[in-house]
């Protein structure tokens, strides 16, 4: 978000996908797995396949929204000083 603020990119999420609590948990799980702090079976032991699929779809929606908003910023040449 700091980079977005530096470049004056307005980033907003629809209420459907604005879930900072959930996204923080997804990020924590991802980081623990990526850095070898825990095994997949340990990290997601309390998660069902359905939970994992929901998290996946939420993440994709957030990233799609991010890509769209950055694309609009570039296409509209919003980076140019008036």
């Amino acid at each position: 978000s700091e980079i977005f603020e530096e470049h004056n990119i307005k980033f907003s999420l629809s209420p459907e996908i604005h879930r900072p609590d959930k996204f923080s948990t997804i990020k924590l799980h991802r980081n623990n797995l990526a850095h070898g702090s825990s095994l997949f079976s340990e990290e997601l032991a309390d998660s069902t396949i359905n939970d994992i699929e929901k998290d996946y779809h939420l993440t994709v929606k957030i990233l799609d929204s991010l890509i769209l908003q950055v694309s609009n910023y570039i296409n509209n040449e919003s980076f140019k000083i008036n």
Side-chain angles (χ1 to χ4, degrees), residues 10-21:
K10 306 296 184 217
F11 181 65
S12 60
L13 296 173
S14 69
E16 169 199 2
I17 60 175
H18 183 67
R19 296 285 313 274
D21 58 324

Side-chain angles (χ1 to χ4, degrees), residues 11-13 17 60-70:
F11 181 65
S12 60
L13 296 173
I17 60 175
V60 168
K61 287 179 182 179
I62 290 169
L63 293 175
D64 282 346
S65 179
L66 174 65
I67 290 167
L68 178 63
Q69 291 179 55
V70 171

Side-chain angles (χ1 to χ4, degrees), residues 1-10 73 78-79 81:
S1 69
E2 291 173 15
I3 290 178
F4 289 99
E5 290 174 12
E6 281 180 37
H7 295 282
N8 201 29
I9 300 173
K10 306 296 184 217
Y73 175 83
S78 299
F79 50 85
I81 299 173

Side-chain angles (χ1 to χ4, degrees), residues 25-59:
T25 301
I26 293 168
K27 180 181 165 186
L28 177 66
H29 287 311
R30 181 260 170 224
N31 287 343
N32 288 343
L33 291 168
H35 297 287
S37 303
S38 65
L39 299 173
F40 184 83
S41 58
E42 298 168 342
E43 193 65 33
L44 298 170
D46 296 331
S47 300
T48 65
I49 295 295
N50 192 37
D51 293 335
I52 295 168
E53 286 177 344
K54 284 181 182 177
D55 289 350
Y56 165 78
H57 291 296
L58 176 64
T59 302

